[in-house]
Amino acid sequence: ATYFLEEAFHENINYSTVELLMWKPPQSVSALQVEDQCVVAFGKANIFLTKTNRDWKSKYVVIGGIAADPWVISVYNNKSDYEKALSDMKEEKKVSVKFKSWSLIGADLLTPIPQTVQYMGQSRRRLWHYIIVSTMDGEAIKIGHDHEIGLEPILEGVKMAMKYTETYKGF
């Protein structure tokens, strides 16, 4: 839709007409993107947590977005690696950073409500909130955050992506 704001500027001759262009994507275009810095652990069919936090790695988690389909969850080392991957894609170059991604098609959210685990930190116990997603290939992706509010966008993104895969007619 195109909007003209002419009347607002007719009274003052110092301003010219401003034209605002807005575009609302159709329903067929998915704009889902959720991202946050979390701790992640993944492995083949291992849905159990370890006794120590050694297996958890700090990663930048992205669900959907312009670098992937809306049903894909990707993990990068950090946000700058994600931005570098976007830059490489924009320039149509091979992506120069390492990342791991999984399809959420046929995946199960094993913990629809975030669970908690305590690990011994530097002289005190740290409480982590986590979710577990099991992919169709049987791989378990554990995503955690030290604040439940930091995990909520990721959880909602996973739920939206999984809901999207139920109605997607492209395969």
Side-chain angles (χ1 to χ4, degrees), residues 124-140:
R124 66 181 178 93
R125 291 198 166 276
R126 291 185 53 200
L127 185 67
W128 284 3
H129 303 272
Y130 69 92
I131 60 171
I132 300 175
V133 179
S134 177
T135 65
M136 195 165 68
D137 298 334
E139 194 163 353

Side-chain angles (χ1 to χ4, degrees), residues 120-125:
M120 191 64 177
Q122 295 176 357
S123 74
R124 66 181 178 93
R125 291 198 166 276

